[in-house]
Amino acid sequence: MSENLRSQIVTQGVQRSPNRAMLRAVGFKDEDFNKAIVGIANGYSTITPCNMGINQLAQRAEVGTKTAGAMPQVFGTITISDGISMGTEGMKYSLVSREVIADSIET
């Protein structure tokens, strides 16, 4: 895994002690602060069958990221069920929601 230049912004230096304390609370060890931190967006949800298998994929991505020498951090995303919203006012938001979901992951 290449240098963690972006991750160093939040892990290196005295001024980042609070950041490291928070990351220790989620399982980071001393050596982990020298690794790249990789975010894994997980859209798993039980509200729609489309998202039921995503958690297994996120878990596999987490294992692969660790194997590559980085520190994976899994985070959830919002989701919408077209099947539930079909025929309701909510259906108007189905396509728009994809942009909102993509924006939330990027943020």
Side-chain angles (χ1 to χ4, degrees):
M1 180 67 47
S2 62
E3 289 185 31
N4 66 334
L5 299 178
R6 286 187 168 197
S7 299
Q8 288 178 2
I9 294 168
V10 295
T11 62
Q12 303 299 313
V14 174
Q15 70 279 15
R16 298 297 173 232
S17 296
N19 304 48
R20 289 191 300 277
M22 185 209 65
L23 292 169
R24 285 186 192 285
V26 297
F28 274 58
K29 307 286 186 244
D30 286 343
E31 61 274 10
D32 297 330
F33 296 115
N34 296 317
K35 298 176 182 177
I37 299 171
V38 177
I40 299 172
N42 186 350
Y44 168 76
S45 172
T46 60
I47 195 75
T48 174
C50 302
N51 295 44
M52 293 290 292
I54 293 178
N55 196 45
Q56 293 170 336
L57 295 174
Q59 289 171 340
R60 290 175 70 181
E62 187 175 14
V63 169
T65 302
K66 282 183 182 180
T67 301
M71 282 302 292
Q73 295 299 293
V74 179
F75 62 94
T77 66
I78 58 175
T79 187
I80 189 169
S81 172
D82 294 344
I84 291 175
S85 64
M86 196 178 323
T88 71
E89 190 70 17
M91 190 62 191
K92 294 178 183 176
Y93 299 100
S94 183
L95 291 176
V96 174
S97 74
R98 286 155 176 73
E99 290 297 320
V100 173
I101 293 166
D103 288 345
S104 73
I105 292 169
E106 184 176 350
T107 301

Coordinates of all heavy atoms in Angstrom, one line a residue:
M1 N 0.9 -1.2 0.0 CA 0.0 0.0 0.0 C 0.9 1.2 0.0 O 1.9 1.3 0.7 CB -0.9 0.0 1.2 CG -1.9 1.1 1.4 SD -3.2 1.3 0.3 CE -4.0 -0.3 0.1
S2 N 0.6 2.2 -0.8 CA 1.4 3.4 -0.9 C 1.3 4.3 0.4 O 0.4 4.0 1.2 CB 0.9 4.2 -2.1 OG -0.4 4.6 -2.0
E3 N 2.1 5.3 0.4 CA 2.0 6.2 1.6 C 0.6 6.7 1.8 O -0.1 6.9 0.9 CB 3.0 7.3 1.4 CG 4.5 6.9 1.4 CD 5.4 8.1 1.4 OE1 5.0 9.1 1.9 OE2 6.5 7.9 0.8
N4 N 0.3 7.0 3.1 CA -1.0 7.4 3.5 C -1.0 9.0 3.5 O -1.5 9.5 4.5 CB -1.4 6.8 4.8 CG -0.5 7.3 5.9 OD1 0.6 7.7 5.8 ND2 -1.1 7.3 7.1
L5 N -0.6 9.6 2.5 CA -0.5 11.1 2.5 C -1.8 11.8 2.9 O -1.8 12.7 3.7 CB 0.0 11.6 1.2 CG 1.4 11.1 0.7 CD1 1.8 11.6 -0.6 CD2 2.4 11.5 1.8
R6 N -2.9 11.4 2.4 CA -4.2 12.0 2.8 C -4.5 11.6 4.2 O -5.0 12.4 5.0 CB -5.3 11.6 1.9 CG -5.2 12.2 0.5 CD -6.4 11.9 -0.3 NE -6.5 12.8 -1.4 CZ -7.5 13.0 -2.2 NH1 -8.6 12.4 -1.9 NH2 -7.5 13.9 -3.2
S7 N -4.3 10.4 4.6 CA -4.7 9.9 6.0 C -3.8 10.6 7.0 O -4.3 10.9 8.1 CB -4.5 8.4 6.1 OG -5.4 7.8 5.2
Q8 N -2.6 11.0 6.7 CA -1.7 11.7 7.6 C -2.3 13.0 8.1 O -2.0 13.5 9.2 CB -0.3 11.9 7.0 CG 0.5 10.6 6.8 CD 1.8 10.9 6.2 OE1 2.2 12.0 5.9 NE2 2.5 9.8 6.0
I9 N -3.1 13.6 7.3 CA -3.8 14.9 7.6 C -4.6 14.7 8.9 O -4.6 15.7 9.7 CB -4.7 15.4 6.5 CG1 -3.8 15.7 5.3 CG2 -5.5 16.6 6.9 CD1 -4.6 16.0 4.0
V10 N -5.1 13.6 9.2 CA -5.9 13.4 10.4 C -5.3 12.5 11.4 O -5.8 12.3 12.5 CB -7.3 12.8 10.0 CG1 -8.2 13.8 9.2 CG2 -7.2 11.5 9.3
T11 N -4.1 11.9 11.1 CA -3.5 11.0 12.1 C -2.1 11.4 12.6 O -1.7 10.9 13.6 CB -3.3 9.6 11.4 OG1 -2.4 9.7 10.3 CG2 -4.6 9.0 11.0
Q12 N -1.5 12.4 12.0 CA -0.1 12.7 12.4 C 0.0 14.0 13.1 O -0.7 15.0 12.8 CB 0.8 12.7 11.1 CG 0.8 11.4 10.4 CD 1.3 10.2 11.2 OE1 2.3 10.3 11.8 NE2 0.5 9.1 11.1
G13 N 0.9 14.1 14.0 CA 1.2 15.4 14.7 C 0.5 15.5 16.1 O -0.5 14.8 16.3
V14 N 1.1 16.3 16.9 CA 0.5 16.5 18.3 C -0.9 17.1 18.2 O -1.8 16.7 18.9 CB 1.4 17.5 19.1 CG1 0.8 17.9 20.4 CG2 2.8 16.9 19.3
Q15 N -1.2 18.0 17.2 CA -2.5 18.6 17.0 C -3.6 17.6 16.7 O -4.7 17.8 16.8 CB -2.4 19.7 16.0 CG -2.2 19.3 14.6 CD -0.8 19.0 14.2 OE1 0.1 18.8 15.0 NE2 -0.6 18.9 12.9
R16 N -3.2 16.4 16.3 CA -4.1 15.3 15.9 C -4.3 14.3 17.0 O -4.9 13.2 16.7 CB -3.7 14.7 14.6 CG -3.7 15.6 13.4 CD -5.1 16.2 13.1 NE -5.0 17.2 12.1 CZ -5.6 18.4 12.3 NH1 -6.2 18.7 13.4 NH2 -5.5 19.3 11.3
S17 N -3.8 14.6 18.2 CA -4.0 13.6 19.3 C -5.5 13.3 19.5 O -5.8 12.1 19.7 CB -3.4 14.2 20.6 OG -2.0 14.4 20.4
P18 N -6.4 14.2 19.5 CA -7.8 13.9 19.7 C -8.3 12.9 18.6 O -9.1 12.0 18.8 CB -8.6 15.2 19.6 CG -7.5 16.2 20.0 CD -6.2 15.7 19.4
N19 N -7.8 13.1 17.3 CA -8.2 12.3 16.2 C -7.8 10.8 16.5 O -8.5 9.9 16.4 CB -7.6 12.7 14.9 CG -7.9 14.1 14.6 OD1 -7.8 15.0 15.4 ND2 -8.3 14.4 13.3
R20 N -6.5 10.7 17.0 CA -6.0 9.4 17.3 C -6.7 8.7 18.4 O -7.0 7.5 18.4 CB -4.5 9.4 17.5 CG -3.7 9.7 16.3 CD -2.2 9.5 16.5 NE -1.7 10.4 17.5 CZ -1.3 11.7 17.3 NH1 -1.4 12.2 16.1 NH2 -0.8 12.4 18.3
A21 N -7.1 9.5 19.4 CA -7.9 9.0 20.6 C -9.2 8.4 20.1 O -9.6 7.3 20.5 CB -8.1 10.1 21.6
M22 N -9.9 9.1 19.2 CA -11.2 8.6 18.7 C -10.9 7.3 17.9 O -11.7 6.3 18.0 CB -11.8 9.7 17.8 CG -13.2 9.2 17.3 SD -13.7 9.9 15.7 CE -12.5 9.2 14.6
L23 N -9.9 7.3 17.0 CA -9.6 6.1 16.2 C -9.2 4.9 17.1 O -9.5 3.8 16.8 CB -8.6 6.4 15.2 CG -9.1 7.4 14.1 CD1 -7.9 7.9 13.2 CD2 -10.1 6.8 13.2
R24 N -8.5 5.2 18.2 CA -8.2 4.1 19.1 C -9.5 3.5 19.7 O -9.5 2.3 19.9 CB -7.3 4.6 20.3 CG -5.9 4.9 19.9 CD -5.0 5.2 21.1 NE -3.7 5.7 20.7 CZ -2.7 5.0 20.2 NH1 -2.9 3.7 20.1 NH2 -1.6 5.6 19.9
A25 N -10.5 4.3 19.9 CA -11.7 3.8 20.4 C -12.4 2.8 19.5 O -13.3 2.0 19.9 CB -12.7 5.0 20.8
V26 N -12.1 2.9 18.2 CA -12.7 2.0 17.2 C -11.7 0.9 16.8 O -11.9 0.2 15.8 CB -13.2 2.7 15.9 CG1 -14.4 3.6 16.3 CG2 -12.1 3.4 15.2
G27 N -10.6 0.8 17.5 CA -9.7 -0.4 17.3 C -8.4 -0.1 16.7 O -7.6 -1.1 16.5
F28 N -8.0 1.1 16.4 CA -6.7 1.4 15.8 C -5.6 1.1 16.9 O -5.8 1.4 18.1 CB -6.6 2.9 15.4 CG -7.1 3.2 14.0 CD1 -8.4 2.9 13.7 CD2 -6.3 3.8 13.1 CE1 -8.9 3.2 12.4 CE2 -6.8 4.1 11.8 CZ -8.1 3.7 11.5
K29 N -4.5 0.6 16.4 CA -3.3 0.4 17.2 C -2.2 1.4 16.7 O -2.4 2.0 15.7 CB -2.8 -1.1 17.0 CG -3.8 -2.1 17.3 CD -4.1 -2.3 18.8 CE -5.0 -3.4 19.0 NZ -6.3 -3.0 19.6
D30 N -1.1 1.5 17.4 CA -0.1 2.4 17.1 C 0.3 2.3 15.6 O 0.4 3.3 14.9 CB 1.2 2.2 18.0 CG 1.0 2.7 19.4 OD1 0.0 3.5 19.6 OD2 1.8 2.4 20.2
E31 N 0.6 1.1 15.2 CA 1.0 0.9 13.8 C 0.0 1.3 12.7 O 0.3 1.6 11.6 CB 1.5 -0.5 13.6 CG 0.5 -1.6 13.8 CD 0.3 -2.1 15.2 OE1 0.9 -1.4 16.2 OE2 -0.4 -3.0 15.4
D32 N -1.3 1.3 13.1 CA -2.3 1.6 12.2 C -2.3 3.1 11.7 O -2.8 3.4 10.7 CB -3.7 1.2 12.7 CG -3.8 -0.3 13.0 OD1 -3.2 -1.1 12.3 OD2 -4.5 -0.7 13.9
F33 N -1.8 3.9 12.5 CA -1.8 5.4 12.2 C -0.8 5.7 11.0 O -0.8 6.8 10.5 CB -1.4 6.2 13.4 CG -2.5 6.1 14.5 CD1 -2.2 5.5 15.7 CD2 -3.8 6.5 14.3 CE1 -3.1 5.4 16.7 CE2 -4.7 6.4 15.2 CZ -4.4 5.9 16.5
N34 N 0.0 4.7 10.7 CA 0.9 4.9 9.5 C 0.3 4.3 8.3 O 1.0 4.3 7.2 CB 2.3 4.2 9.8 CG 3.0 5.0 11.0 OD1 3.0 6.2 11.0 ND2 3.5 4.2 11.9
K35 N -0.9 3.7 8.3 CA -1.5 3.1 7.2 C -2.5 4.1 6.6 O -3.0 5.0 7.2 CB -2.3 1.8 7.6 CG -1.4 0.8 8.2 CD -2.2 -0.4 8.7 CE -1.3 -1.5 9.3 NZ -2.1 -2.6 9.8
A36 N -2.8 3.9 5.3 CA -3.9 4.6 4.6 C -5.2 4.2 5.2 O -5.5 3.0 5.5 CB -3.8 4.4 3.1
I37 N -6.1 5.2 5.5 CA -7.4 4.9 5.9 C -8.3 4.9 4.7 O -8.3 5.9 3.9 CB -7.9 6.0 6.9 CG1 -7.0 6.0 8.2 CG2 -9.4 5.7 7.3 CD1 -7.3 7.1 9.1
V38 N -9.1 3.8 4.5 CA -9.9 3.7 3.3 C -11.4 3.6 3.8 O -11.7 2.7 4.5 CB -9.5 2.4 2.5 CG1 -10.5 2.2 1.3 CG2 -8.1 2.5 2.0
G39 N -12.2 4.5 3.3 CA -13.6 4.5 3.6 C -14.4 3.5 2.7 O -14.1 3.5 1.5
I40 N -15.2 2.7 3.3 CA -16.0 1.7 2.5 C -17.5 2.1 2.8 O -18.0 1.9 3.9 CB -15.7 0.3 3.0 CG1 -14.3 0.0 2.7 CG2 -16.7 -0.7 2.2 CD1 -13.8 -1.4 3.2
A41 N -18.2 2.6 1.8 CA -19.6 2.9 1.9 C -20.4 1.7 1.8 O -20.2 0.8 0.9 CB -20.0 3.9 0.8
N42 N -21.3 1.5 2.8 CA -22.1 0.3 2.9 C -23.6 0.7 2.8 O -24.1 1.2 3.8 CB -21.8 -0.5 4.2 CG -22.5 -1.8 4.3 OD1 -23.3 -2.1 3.5 ND2 -22.1 -2.6 5.3
G43 N -24.2 0.3 1.7 CA -25.6 0.6 1.5 C -26.5 -0.4 2.0 O -27.7 -0.4 1.6
Y44 N -26.1 -1.3 2.8 CA -26.9 -2.4 3.4 C -28.1 -1.9 4.1 O -28.1 -0.9 4.8 CB -26.1 -3.3 4.3 CG -27.0 -4.3 5.1 CD1 -27.5 -5.4 4.5 CD2 -27.3 -4.0 6.4 CE1 -28.2 -6.3 5.3 CE2 -28.1 -4.9 7.2 CZ -28.6 -6.0 6.6 OH -29.4 -6.8 7.3
S45 N -29.3 -2.5 3.8 CA -30.5 -2.1 4.4 C -31.5 -3.3 4.3 O -31.4 -4.1 3.4 CB -31.1 -0.9 3.7 OG -32.4 -0.7 4.2
T46 N -32.3 -3.4 5.3 CA -33.3 -4.5 5.3 C -34.6 -4.0 4.7 O -35.6 -4.7 4.6 CB -33.6 -5.1 6.7 OG1 -34.0 -4.0 7.5 CG2 -32.4 -5.7 7.3
I47 N -34.7 -2.7 4.2 CA -35.9 -2.1 3.7 C -36.2 -2.6 2.3 O -37.3 -2.5 1.8 CB -35.9 -0.6 3.8 CG1 -37.3 0.0 3.6 CG2 -34.9 0.0 2.8 CD1 -38.2 -0.1 4.8
T48 N -35.1 -3.0 1.6 CA -35.3 -3.4 0.2 C -34.4 -4.6 -0.2 O -33.3 -4.7 0.3 CB -35.0 -2.2 -0.8 OG1 -35.1 -2.7 -2.1 CG2 -33.7 -1.6 -0.5
P49 N -35.0 -5.6 -0.9 CA -34.2 -6.7 -1.3 C -33.0 -6.4 -2.1 O -32.0 -7.1 -2.1 CB -35.1 -7.6 -2.1 CG -36.4 -6.9 -2.2 CD -36.4 -5.7 -1.4
C50 N -33.0 -5.2 -2.8 CA -31.9 -4.8 -3.6 C -30.6 -4.6 -2.8 O -29.5 -4.7 -3.3 CB -32.2 -3.5 -4.3 SG -33.6 -3.6 -5.4
N51 N -30.8 -4.3 -1.5 CA -29.6 -3.9 -0.6 C -29.3 -5.0 0.4 O -28.4 -4.9 1.1 CB -29.9 -2.6 0.1 CG -30.0 -1.5 -0.8 OD1 -30.7 -1.5 -1.9 ND2 -29.4 -0.4 -0.5
M52 N -30.0 -6.1 0.3 CA -29.8 -7.2 1.3 C -28.4 -7.8 1.3 O -27.9 -8.2 2.3 CB -30.9 -8.3 1.2 CG -32.3 -7.8 1.5 SD -32.5 -7.5 3.3 CE -32.4 -9.1 4.0
G53 N -27.9 -8.0 0.1 CA -26.6 -8.7 0.0 C -25.4 -7.7 0.1 O -24.2 -8.2 0.0
I54 N -25.6 -6.4 0.2 CA -24.5 -5.5 0.1 C -23.6 -5.6 1.3 O -22.4 -5.4 1.2 CB -25.0 -4.0 0.0 CG1 -25.7 -3.9 -1.4 CG2 -23.9 -3.0 0.2 CD1 -26.3 -2.6 -1.7
N55 N -24.1 -6.0 2.5 CA -23.3 -6.1 3.7 C -22.2 -7.1 3.5 O -21.0 -6.9 3.9 CB -24.1 -6.4 4.9 CG -23.3 -6.1 6.2 OD1 -22.7 -5.1 6.3 ND2 -23.4 -7.0 7.2
Q56 N -22.5 -8.2 2.9 CA -21.5 -9.2 2.6 C -20.4 -8.7 1.7 O -19.2 -9.0 1.9 CB -22.1 -10.5 2.0 CG -23.0 -11.2 2.9 CD -23.9 -12.3 2.2 OE1 -24.1 -12.2 1.0 NE2 -24.3 -13.2 3.0
L57 N -20.8 -7.9 0.7 CA -19.8 -7.3 -0.2 C -18.9 -6.3 0.6 O -17.7 -6.3 0.4 CB -20.5 -6.6 -1.4 CG -21.2 -7.5 -2.3 CD1 -22.0 -6.6 -3.3 CD2 -20.3 -8.5 -3.0
A58 N -19.5 -5.5 1.5 CA -18.7 -4.5 2.2 C -17.7 -5.3 3.2 O -16.6 -4.8 3.3 CB -19.7 -3.7 3.1
Q59 N -18.2 -6.4 3.7 CA -17.3 -7.2 4.6 C -16.1 -7.7 3.8 O -15.0 -7.7 4.3 CB -18.1 -8.3 5.3 CG -19.0 -7.8 6.3 CD -19.9 -8.8 6.9 OE1 -20.2 -9.9 6.2 NE2 -20.5 -8.6 8.1
R60 N -16.4 -8.2 2.6 CA -15.3 -8.7 1.7 C -14.3 -7.6 1.3 O -13.1 -7.7 1.3 CB -15.9 -9.4 0.5 CG -16.6 -10.7 0.8 CD -17.2 -11.3 -0.3 NE -16.2 -11.8 -1.3 CZ -16.5 -12.4 -2.4 NH1 -17.8 -12.5 -2.8 NH2 -15.6 -12.8 -3.2
A61 N -14.9 -6.4 1.1 CA -14.0 -5.2 0.8 C -13.2 -4.8 2.0 O -12.0 -4.5 1.8 CB -14.9 -4.0 0.4
E62 N -13.7 -5.0 3.2 CA -13.0 -4.7 4.4 C -11.8 -5.6 4.6 O -10.7 -5.2 4.8 CB -13.9 -4.8 5.6 CG -13.4 -4.4 6.9 CD -14.4 -4.4 8.0 OE1 -15.5 -5.0 7.9 OE2 -14.0 -3.8 9.1
V63 N -12.1 -6.9 4.3 CA -11.0 -7.9 4.4 C -9.9 -7.6 3.4 O -8.7 -7.6 3.7 CB -11.5 -9.3 4.2 CG1 -10.4 -10.4 4.1 CG2 -12.4 -9.7 5.4
G64 N -10.3 -7.3 2.1 CA -9.4 -7.0 1.1 C -8.5 -5.8 1.4 O -7.3 -5.7 1.1
T65 N -9.2 -4.8 2.0 CA -8.5 -3.6 2.3 C -7.4 -3.8 3.4 O -6.3 -3.3 3.3 CB -9.5 -2.5 2.8 OG1 -10.4 -2.3 1.7 CG2 -8.8 -1.2 3.1
K66 N -7.8 -4.6 4.4 CA -6.8 -5.0 5.4 C -5.7 -5.8 4.8 O -4.5 -5.6 5.2 CB -7.5 -5.8 6.5 CG -8.3 -4.9 7.5 CD -8.9 -5.8 8.6 CE -9.7 -4.9 9.5 NZ -10.3 -5.7 10.6
T67 N -6.0 -6.7 3.9 CA -5.0 -7.5 3.3 C -4.0 -6.7 2.5 O -2.8 -7.0 2.5 CB -5.6 -8.6 2.4 OG1 -6.5 -9.4 3.2 CG2 -4.6 -9.5 1.7
A68 N -4.5 -5.6 1.9 CA -3.6 -4.7 1.1 C -2.8 -3.8 2.0 O -2.0 -3.1 1.5 CB -4.5 -3.9 0.2
G69 N -3.0 -3.8 3.3 CA -2.2 -3.1 4.2 C -2.7 -1.7 4.6 O -2.0 -0.9 5.2
A70 N -4.0 -1.5 4.4 CA -4.7 -0.3 4.8 C -5.6 -0.5 5.9 O -5.8 -1.6 6.4 CB -5.4 0.3 3.6
M71 N -6.2 0.6 6.4 CA -7.2 0.5 7.5 C -8.6 0.9 7.0 O -8.9 2.0 6.7 CB -6.8 1.5 8.6 CG -5.7 1.0 9.5 SD -6.0 -0.5 10.3 CE -7.3 -0.1 11.5
P72 N -9.4 -0.2 6.8 CA -10.8 0.1 6.3 C -11.7 0.7 7.4 O -11.6 0.3 8.6 CB -11.3 -1.3 5.9 CG -10.5 -2.2 6.8 CD -9.2 -1.6 7.0
Q73 N -12.5 1.6 7.0 CA -13.5 2.2 7.9 C -14.8 2.2 7.2 O -15.0 2.9 6.2 CB -13.1 3.6 8.3 CG -11.9 3.7 9.2 CD -12.0 2.9 10.5 OE1 -12.8 3.3 11.3 NE2 -11.3 1.9 10.6
V74 N -15.7 1.3 7.7 CA -17.0 1.1 7.0 C -18.0 2.1 7.5 O -18.1 2.3 8.8 CB -17.6 -0.3 7.2 CG1 -18.9 -0.5 6.6 CG2 -16.5 -1.3 6.7
F75 N -18.8 2.7 6.6 CA -19.8 3.7 7.1 C -21.1 3.4 6.3 O -21.0 3.0 5.1 CB -19.4 5.1 6.9 CG -19.0 5.6 5.5 CD1 -20.0 6.2 4.7 CD2 -17.8 5.3 5.0 CE1 -19.7 6.6 3.4 CE2 -17.5 5.7 3.7 CZ -18.4 6.3 2.9
G76 N -22.2 3.7 6.9 CA -23.5 3.5 6.2 C -23.9 4.6 5.4 O -23.4 5.7 5.5
T77 N -24.9 4.3 4.5 CA -25.4 5.3 3.6 C -26.9 5.3 3.7 O -27.5 4.3 4.1 CB -25.0 5.1 2.1 OG1 -25.6 3.9 1.7 CG2 -23.5 5.1 2.0
I78 N -27.6 6.3 3.2 CA -29.0 6.3 3.1 C -29.4 5.4 1.9 O -28.6 5.2 1.0 CB -29.6 7.7 3.0 CG1 -29.0 8.4 1.7 CG2 -29.3 8.5 4.2 CD1 -29.6 9.8 1.5
T79 N -30.7 5.0 1.9 CA -31.2 4.2 0.7 C -32.7 4.5 0.6 O -33.3 5.1 1.5 CB -30.9 2.7 1.0 OG1 -31.3 2.0 -0.2 CG2 -31.7 2.2 2.1
I80 N -33.2 4.1 -0.6 CA -34.6 4.3 -0.8 C -35.1 3.0 -1.4 O -34.4 2.3 -2.1 CB -34.9 5.5 -1.8 CG1 -36.4 5.8 -1.8 CG2 -34.3 5.3 -3.1 CD1 -36.7 7.1 -2.5
S81 N -36.4 2.7 -1.2 CA -37.0 1.5 -1.7 C -38.0 1.9 -2.8 O -39.0 2.4 -2.5 CB -37.7 0.6 -0.7 OG -38.4 -0.4 -1.3
D82 N -37.7 1.7 -4.1 CA -38.6 2.0 -5.1 C -39.9 1.2 -5.0 O -41.0 1.7 -5.3 CB -38.0 1.7 -6.5 CG -36.8 2.6 -6.8 OD1 -36.7 3.6 -6.2 OD2 -36.1 2.3 -7.7
G83 N -39.8 0.0 -4.5 CA -40.9 -0.9 -4.3 C -41.9 -0.4 -3.3 O -43.1 -0.4 -3.5
I84 N -41.4 0.2 -2.2 CA -42.3 0.7 -1.2 C -42.9 2.1 -1.7 O -44.0 2.4 -1.4 CB -41.6 0.9 0.1 CG1 -41.3 -0.5 0.7 CG2 -42.4 1.7 1.1 CD1 -40.5 -0.6 2.0
S85 N -42.1 2.9 -2.3 CA -42.5 4.2 -2.7 C -43.4 4.2 -4.0 O -44.0 5.2 -4.3 CB -41.3 5.2 -2.9 OG -40.5 4.7 -4.0
M86 N -43.4 3.1 -4.7 CA -44.2 3.0 -5.9 C -45.6 3.4 -5.7 O -46.3 2.9 -4.8 CB -44.1 1.6 -6.5 CG -44.5 1.5 -8.0 SD -44.4 -0.2 -8.6 CE -42.9 -0.8 -7.8
G87 N -46.1 4.3 -6.6 CA -47.5 4.7 -6.5 C -47.8 5.8 -5.4 O -48.9 6.1 -5.1
T88 N -46.7 6.3 -4.7 CA -46.9 7.3 -3.7 C -46.2 8.5 -4.1 O -45.4 8.6 -5.1 CB -46.4 6.8 -2.3 OG1 -44.9 6.8 -2.4 CG2 -46.9 5.4 -2.0
E89 N -46.4 9.6 -3.3 CA -45.7 10.8 -3.6 C -44.1 10.6 -3.5 O -43.4 11.3 -4.2 CB -46.1 11.9 -2.5 CG -45.6 13.3 -2.7 CD -46.3 14.0 -3.9 OE1 -47.4 13.5 -4.4 OE2 -45.8 15.0 -4.4
G90 N -43.7 9.7 -2.7 CA -42.3 9.4 -2.5 C -41.6 8.9 -3.8 O -40.4 9.0 -4.0
M91 N -42.4 8.4 -4.8 CA -41.8 7.9 -6.0 C -41.1 9.0 -6.8 O -40.2 8.8 -7.5 CB -42.9 7.2 -6.8 CG -42.4 6.5 -8.0 SD -41.3 5.1 -7.5 CE -40.5 4.6 -9.0
K92 N -41.6 10.2 -6.6 CA -40.9 11.4 -7.3 C -39.5 11.6 -6.8 O -38.7 12.2 -7.5 CB -41.7 12.7 -7.0 CG -43.1 12.7 -7.5 CD -43.8 13.9 -7.1 CE -45.3 13.9 -7.6 NZ -46.0 15.1 -7.2
Y93 N -39.1 11.0 -5.7 CA -37.8 11.2 -5.2 C -36.8 10.0 -5.5 O -35.6 10.1 -5.2 CB -37.8 11.4 -3.7 CG -38.6 12.6 -3.3 CD1 -39.9 12.5 -2.9 CD2 -38.1 13.9 -3.4 CE1 -40.7 13.6 -2.5 CE2 -38.8 15.0 -3.1 CZ -40.1 14.8 -2.7 OH -40.9 15.9 -2.3
S94 N -37.3 9.0 -6.2 CA -36.5 7.8 -6.4 C -35.3 8.1 -7.2 O -34.2 7.8 -6.8 CB -37.4 6.8 -7.1 OG -36.6 5.6 -7.3
L95 N -35.4 8.8 -8.4 CA -34.2 9.1 -9.2 C -33.4 10.1 -8.5 O -32.1 10.0 -8.5 CB -34.7 9.5 -10.6 CG -35.3 8.4 -11.4 CD1 -35.7 9.0 -12.8 CD2 -34.3 7.3 -11.7
V96 N -34.0 11.2 -8.0 CA -33.2 12.2 -7.3 C -32.4 11.7 -6.1 O -31.3 12.1 -5.9 CB -34.2 13.3 -6.8 CG1 -33.4 14.4 -6.0 CG2 -34.9 14.0 -8.0
S97 N -33.0 10.6 -5.5 CA -32.3 10.1 -4.3 C -30.9 9.5 -4.7 O -30.0 9.5 -3.8 CB -33.1 9.0 -3.7 OG -33.1 7.8 -4.4
R98 N -30.7 9.1 -5.9 CA -29.5 8.5 -6.3 C -28.4 9.6 -6.2 O -27.2 9.3 -5.8 CB -29.5 7.9 -7.7 CG -30.3 6.6 -7.6 CD -30.9 6.2 -9.0 NE -31.6 4.9 -9.0 CZ -32.7 4.6 -8.4 NH1 -33.4 5.5 -7.7 NH2 -33.3 3.4 -8.5
E99 N -28.7 10.8 -6.6 CA -27.7 11.9 -6.5 C -27.5 12.2 -5.0 O -26.3 12.5 -4.6 CB -28.3 13.1 -7.2 CG -28.3 13.0 -8.7 CD -26.9 12.8 -9.3 OE1 -25.9 13.4 -8.8 OE2 -26.7 12.0 -10.2
V100 N -28.5 12.2 -4.2 CA -28.4 12.5 -2.8 C -27.5 11.5 -2.1 O -26.6 11.8 -1.3 CB -29.8 12.6 -2.1 CG1 -29.6 12.8 -0.6 CG2 -30.6 13.7 -2.7
I101 N -27.7 10.2 -2.5 CA -26.9 9.1 -1.9 C -25.4 9.3 -2.3 O -24.5 9.2 -1.5 CB -27.4 7.7 -2.3 CG1 -28.8 7.5 -1.7 CG2 -26.5 6.6 -2.0 CD1 -29.6 6.3 -2.3
A102 N -25.2 9.5 -3.6 CA -23.8 9.7 -4.1 C -23.2 10.9 -3.4 O -22.0 10.9 -3.0 CB -23.8 9.9 -5.6
D103 N -23.9 12.0 -3.3 CA -23.4 13.2 -2.6 C -23.1 12.9 -1.2 O -22.0 13.4 -0.6 CB -24.4 14.4 -2.7 CG -24.5 14.9 -4.1 OD1 -23.6 14.7 -4.9 OD2 -25.4 15.7 -4.4
S104 N -23.9 12.1 -0.5 CA -23.7 11.9 0.9 C -22.4 11.0 1.1 O -21.6 11.2 2.1 CB -24.9 11.2 1.6 OG -25.0 9.8 1.2
I105 N -22.2 10.1 0.2 CA -21.0 9.2 0.2 C -19.8 10.1 0.0 O -18.8 10.0 0.7 CB -21.1 8.1 -0.8 CG1 -22.2 7.1 -0.3 CG2 -19.7 7.4 -0.9 CD1 -22.5 6.1 -1.4
E106 N -19.8 11.0 -1.0 CA -18.7 11.8 -1.3 C -18.4 12.8 -0.1 O -17.2 13.0 0.2 CB -19.0 12.6 -2.6 CG -17.8 13.5 -3.0 CD -18.1 14.2 -4.3 OE1 -19.0 13.9 -5.0 OE2 -17.2 15.1 -4.7
T107 N -19.4 13.3 0.5 CA -19.2 14.2 1.6 C -18.6 13.5 2.8 O -17.6 14.0 3.4 CB -20.6 14.8 2.1 OG1 -21.1 15.5 1.0 CG2 -20.4 15.7 3.3

